[in-house]
Amino acid sequence: MTQSGTDASWHWSDYWRDAKPEVLTTGPAGGRRPFEARTLWLSFFSELAPGSHVLDLATGGGQVAGYACEAARLGERAFEVVGVDYADLPLSKGPFRLVGGVRLEQLPFEAATFDAASSQFGIEYADRRAALAELARVLKPGAPALLLMHHENSVITQQARTQLTALDRVEGGGALIRLARQAFRAHQANLSGDKVRAAETAFRKAVARAQTRLGDDARAMTARQYLGFMADLAGRSAAYRPESALQSLAQAETANTAWRRRQHSQIRSALDEAGMSAFLSQARDRGLTVEQKAEAYDDHSALIGWRIRLKKTG
């Protein structure tokens, strides 16, 4: 999917297009990696009876849906697992069904359809009141739901802020890509040698300034990758066909825009203590019993989110 003013989820569709199985999270050393929650999810799904219908909300690439199927296989039973997501999704390669273009605020299922539900860094992106009402509607009485949700103080949220700040320093308010385009358009237009050299020099100097601003912050991976791409263009401009370089710049700009939107939406969705209290109050108001509220940590004792367990009342 390409960027569209009418498609509010294009930046997520762009991310899941390559059939990534994992969510976008972080490691304790600042390196981005999938948060491994396999043990947690296998434990949850192993509680379910044979033949259970399971709904995974904001499923993305189907990582948690896959854990549900794995738990069923390990328990020598079968589940019917469906994952839904607002974004467009590739065809499922697993023993589950993935459905894209689904709003959590308007689930396409009959009432009391599911025996359990899950969400890993997903439900908090939606209109929470409406999404909780729909979750309560489609769950059978007594059915459990386990949610892993973004935390205001998690390493994931902290890294999103760090990465955005670093990319801002590199991009210089758009100056870097603007000067890159000017350099290759000068080549494309066959301007005089002096004008081409002046455009190339301005681009190289902008790259050097961006390198100084970024420094050696090992956490700034996205900014460092982008700057490496720009440094290669600046240092080897004669090796690139102008049309090819300009196309690569357009693709990089779109990728950066998508990445920024994902990071900003993640930060906005993260809940502090007050936000979580409000979320749980909304859950209770919609017929969901709160069975557990806890902070979730990874294997390195880094805070990665909230762990919330709900149950359909009745």
Side-chain angles (χ1 to χ4, degrees):
M1 177 176 292
T2 57
Q3 181 174 355
S4 169
T6 60
D7 178 13
S9 67
W10 74 269
H11 52 299
W12 286 114
S13 298
D14 180 77
Y15 181 71
W16 297 119
R17 182 187 300 125
D18 296 330
K20 299 179 180 70
E22 73 275 359
V23 295
L24 184 65
T25 58
T26 184
R32 204 171 73 185
R33 66 164 173 80
F35 162 57
E36 179 52 67
R38 176 176 176 272
T39 300
L40 181 151
W41 288 115
L42 290 183
S43 176
F44 173 66
F45 292 125
S46 67
E47 303 172 11
L48 305 182
S52 289
H53 289 204
V54 180
L55 174 64
D56 187 42
L57 299 170
T59 193
Q63 183 182 42
V64 174
Y67 291 146
C69 294
E70 182 181 356
R73 185 176 67 253
L74 292 173
E76 298 183 340
R77 64 192 78 177
F79 298 155
E80 182 177 327
V81 182
V82 59
V84 297
D85 201 284
Y86 189 29
D88 287 343
L89 298 178
L91 293 176
S92 171
K93 297 181 180 179
F96 44 76
R97 183 164 61 99
L98 300 184
V99 184
V102 174
R103 293 172 56 84
L104 301 193
E105 303 89 343
Q106 193 172 4
L107 297 173
F109 307 109
E110 297 294 329
T113 296
F114 294 97
D115 299 287
S118 55
S119 176
Q120 179 167 275
F121 304 129
I123 194 171
E124 60 270 43
Y125 288 86
D127 179 318
R128 294 162 196 155
R129 288 185 177 86
L132 284 167
E134 280 292 271
L135 173 61
R137 183 183 66 81
V138 302
L139 285 177
K140 296 178 182 178
L146 183 60
L147 316 174
L148 286 179
M149 302 176 64
H150 283 303
H151 194 300
E152 171 70 16
N153 298 320
S154 73
V155 292
I156 299 168
T157 305
Q158 291 172 6
Q159 192 197 33
R161 293 192 178 103
T162 297
Q163 295 269 28
L164 282 166
T165 299
L167 188 59
D168 285 341
R169 292 201 302 267
V170 165
E171 289 186 318
L176 190 58
I177 199 164
R178 183 173 63 254
L179 290 169
R181 284 195 171 108
Q182 288 175 359
F184 286 103
R185 283 170 179 163
H187 279 281
Q188 189 179 42
N190 292 316
L191 299 183
S192 67
D194 287 345
K195 290 182 177 179
V196 168
R197 283 190 292 273
E200 289 179 340
T201 299
F203 178 33
R204 285 196 297 270
K205 287 182 176 179
V207 169
R209 289 193 297 270
Q211 289 171 329
T212 299
R213 289 194 299 268
L214 182 60
D216 58 358
D217 189 345
R219 300 171 299 173
M221 292 169 295
T222 299
R224 193 166 299 285
Q225 291 168 358
Y226 179 67
L227 186 53
F229 162 69
M230 287 295 193
D232 183 68
L233 287 178
R236 300 191 311 118
S237 58
Y240 289 91
R241 292 178 58 249
E243 295 79 8
S244 176
L246 289 168
Q247 182 178 20
S248 294
L249 286 167
Q251 292 169 345
E253 187 172 38
T254 297
N256 274 0
T257 300
W259 181 86
R260 281 182 177 279
R261 290 189 63 170
R262 292 193 294 268
Q263 303 306 309
H264 281 298
S265 61
Q266 187 271 296
I267 291 169
R268 287 194 302 270
S269 73
L271 298 177
D272 58 12
E273 185 70 44
M276 178 51 65
S277 294
F279 177 83
L280 297 180
S281 178
Q282 292 163 3
R284 295 185 187 97
D285 289 344
R286 281 146 187 82
L288 296 165
T289 299
V290 179
E291 293 193 318
Q292 181 189 50
K293 169 206 156 190
E295 292 180 331
Y297 295 82
D298 70 4
D299 293 340
H300 300 270
S301 300
L303 176 65
I304 56 89
W306 295 102
R307 174 177 173 169
I308 305 300
R309 181 164 175 141
L310 307 173
K311 182 174 73 173
K312 173 69 176 290
T313 304

